[in-house]
Amino acid sequence: RAAGALAAAAVTAVALAVAAWRRARPVREVLFFPSRPCCIEALLAEAAEPGAPARPCPCPLPSGDTALSRLVRRLLSARRSLDLCLFSFSCPQLARAVHLLHRRGVRVRLVTDAQYMGLHGSQIGRLRHAGIQVRHDQHSGYMHHKFAIVDRRMLITGSLNWTTQAIQSNRENVLVVEDAEYVKAFQEEFERIWEEYNPANYRFF
Amino acid sequence: RAAGALAAAAVTAVALAVAAWRRARPVREVLFFPSRPCCIEALLAEAAEPGAPARPCPCPLPSGDTALSRLVRRLLSARRSLDLCLFSFSCPQLARAVHLLHRRGVRVRLVTDAQYMGLHGSQIGRLRHAGIQVRHDQHSGYMHHKFAIVDRRMLITGSLNWTTQAIQSNRENVLVVEDAEYVKAFQEEFERIWEEYNPANYRFF
């Protein structure tokens, strides 16, 4: 009986170690778009009120595992900070996720492109109105990055503009990487741009 | 004297091991744009005729180390294959590098976007004319990827369209990674698109 208990304990220890290793293993994910359309209401509801009973969404879309739902999940994992550097941001679903993080107390900073932020459908005004800090360029080249940094730990970057057209119709890629070296390089680029686009530095010609 | 020779041999062995490790270490590079303007004639000449005496270029641009020269170097390292999946390709310098690889016998395949390939300044027609295989989409969404795979070994991907405007004026990022997992995912995406855009599959409405 003692040997049996010992064996069971050993099996449990191995299982716990494997689970810990899986949790600790850095995220390395490649997402390709277009994404199948999907409902992300359940993801947003769970993030807004963890553990609350799920209410079924009346929309006809499936809530399965898609490139979009994976992207939203990664964003919603933010606990402290979300730094966004986005050429174009008009997708209402992603804007709701960002707004939710802001309401939850995550420090959101958003850098965007001056020419694109005012286009029809842009979510920038809405997010700014909600109290999120937004900065934009003031020169002729495009601020063409499309990356996000979650908790200064996870980099989300690729070809994807945050628009419904891109998500549903285009061939796009997004890398999600928890890699200190890449995160550091992009975080430094973000801070450079954030400072360069500080309104205190604007020159009025 | 024997001890001295032994020490020298040991130092040499360590130096060789370090050199081998550096060579074997997978590439992990992040390039940010805009790039300072630079002359890449020396890089192209060396790639066209390795070891040939360098002729000074009459252009006034410096030939220093820039994001553009690094990108060109990575491309020119191709020995067997170069798979390109590019939304927009109008930069003459990058087109010359690709053309040179094709002439050197590297198997170049190029996937691009139907709406953008015909725009003024596009290099697609020129490359096709040179004998490079080109395929494009035939539907409404954009083929918005901007990646290259060198020798099925190195992935070059980011926000950068291969245009002079993007290289010289925009805020852009490019990751260069020798990572079997990422390369595999992008190579599979490339093959999917290459097959989907096979002209034999075109439907004429």
Side-chain angles (χ1 to χ4, degrees):
Chain A
R1 186 174 293 172
L6 205 64
V11 166
T12 307
V14 167
L16 285 172
V18 167
W21 176 75
R22 274 182 196 275
R23 271 198 306 278
R25 197 169 43 166
V27 172
R28 294 163 56 86
E29 195 171 24
V30 184
L31 306 176
F32 290 113
F33 294 79
S35 174
R36 281 177 291 119
C38 69
C39 175
I40 61 161
E41 293 306 318
L43 289 178
L44 292 172
E46 169 65 22
E49 211 178 331
R55 280 179 306 173
C57 176
C59 88
L61 295 173
S63 57
D65 182 37
T66 67
L68 175 60
S69 71
R70 284 177 177 229
L71 176 59
V72 169
R73 257 179 222 282
R74 294 302 182 194
L75 290 173
L76 292 176
S77 74
R79 291 294 170 268
R80 289 175 301 281
S81 68
L82 178 66
D83 292 324
L84 300 169
C85 204
L86 297 169
F87 174 54
S88 163
F89 189 173
S90 60
C91 171
Q93 289 171 302
L94 292 174
R96 284 181 57 203
V98 170
H99 190 185
L100 194 155
L101 291 170
H102 170 67
R103 282 206 312 271
R104 216 165 65 182
V106 170
R107 184 197 182 199
V108 179
R109 295 185 292 174
L110 202 166
V111 165
T112 192
D113 184 78
Q115 281 110 309
Y116 270 67
M117 63 184 273
L119 293 194
H120 182 72
S122 169
Q123 297 288 324
I124 301 295
R126 198 182 142 229
L127 293 171
R128 211 167 215 172
H129 193 73
I132 289 174
Q133 292 185 75
V134 176
R135 293 185 180 178
H136 58 81
D137 63 312
Q138 210 209 11
H139 53 78
S140 58
Y142 287 127
M143 204 311 294
H144 200 247
H145 287 305
K146 312 104 173 32
F147 71 80
I149 306 173
V150 172
D151 290 340
R152 304 176 80 91
R153 176 184 48 81
M154 185 194 293
L155 171 65
I156 299 174
T157 188
S159 66
L160 184 83
N161 289 313
W162 287 22
T163 71
T164 304
Q165 140 91 18
I167 291 165
Q168 293 186 356
S169 308
N170 290 0
R171 289 280 189 168
E172 307 273 5
N173 64 78
V174 169
L175 285 169
V176 186
V177 288
E178 264 181 341
D179 180 300
E181 196 179 326
Y182 292 138
V183 168
K184 181 169 181 287
F186 279 78
Q187 188 74 54
E188 285 170 1
E189 172 75 351
F190 183 88
E191 303 297 344
R192 269 193 299 275
I193 297 181
W194 185 252
E195 199 37 53
E196 186 185 321
Y197 295 178
N198 186 336
N201 298 333
Y202 282 7
R203 280 165 299 162
F204 300 93
F205 299 101
Chain B
R1 187 175 293 172
L6 204 65
V11 166
T12 307
V14 167
L16 284 172
V18 167
W21 176 75
R22 273 181 197 275
R23 270 199 306 280
R25 195 170 44 165
V27 172
R28 295 163 55 84
E29 195 171 24
V30 184
L31 306 176
F32 290 113
F33 294 79
S35 173
R36 280 177 293 119
C38 69
C39 175
I40 61 162
E41 292 307 316
L43 288 179
L44 293 172
E46 170 64 21
E49 210 179 333
R55 280 180 306 174
C57 176
C59 88
L61 295 174
S63 58
D65 181 36
T66 67
L68 174 61
S69 72
R70 285 178 176 228
L71 175 59
V72 169
R73 257 178 222 281
R74 294 302 182 194
L75 290 173
L76 292 176
S77 74
R79 291 294 171 267
R80 289 174 302 281
S81 68
L82 178 65
D83 292 323
L84 301 170
C85 204
L86 298 169
F87 174 54
S88 162
F89 189 173
S90 60
C91 171
Q93 290 171 301
L94 292 175
R96 284 181 59 203
V98 170
H99 189 186
L100 194 155
L101 291 170
H102 170 68
R103 282 205 312 273
R104 216 166 65 182
V106 170
R107 184 197 184 200
V108 179
R109 295 185 292 174
L110 202 167
V111 165
T112 192
D113 183 78
Q115 281 110 309
Y116 270 66
M117 63 186 272
L119 292 194
H120 182 72
S122 170
Q123 297 287 325
I124 302 295
R126 199 182 141 229
L127 293 171
R128 211 168 214 172
H129 192 72
I132 290 174
Q133 293 184 73
V134 177
R135 294 186 179 177
H136 58 79
D137 63 311
Q138 210 211 9
H139 53 78
S140 58
Y142 286 127
M143 203 312 294
H144 200 246
H145 287 304
K146 313 105 174 27
F147 70 81
I149 306 173
V150 173
D151 291 339
R152 304 177 81 89
R153 177 184 47 81
M154 186 194 293
L155 170 67
I156 299 173
T157 188
S159 66
L160 184 83
N161 289 312
W162 287 22
T163 71
T164 303
Q165 140 91 20
I167 291 165
Q168 293 186 357
S169 309
N170 291 0
R171 289 280 189 168
E172 308 272 5
N173 65 78
V174 170
L175 285 170
V176 185
V177 289
E178 265 182 341
D179 180 300
E181 195 180 326
Y182 292 139
V183 169
K184 181 169 182 286
F186 279 78
Q187 189 73 55
E188 286 171 0
E189 172 75 352
F190 183 88
E191 304 297 345
R192 269 194 298 274
I193 296 181
W194 186 251
E195 200 36 55
E196 186 185 320
Y197 295 178
N198 185 337
N201 298 333
Y202 281 7
R203 280 165 299 161
F204 298 94
F205 301 99

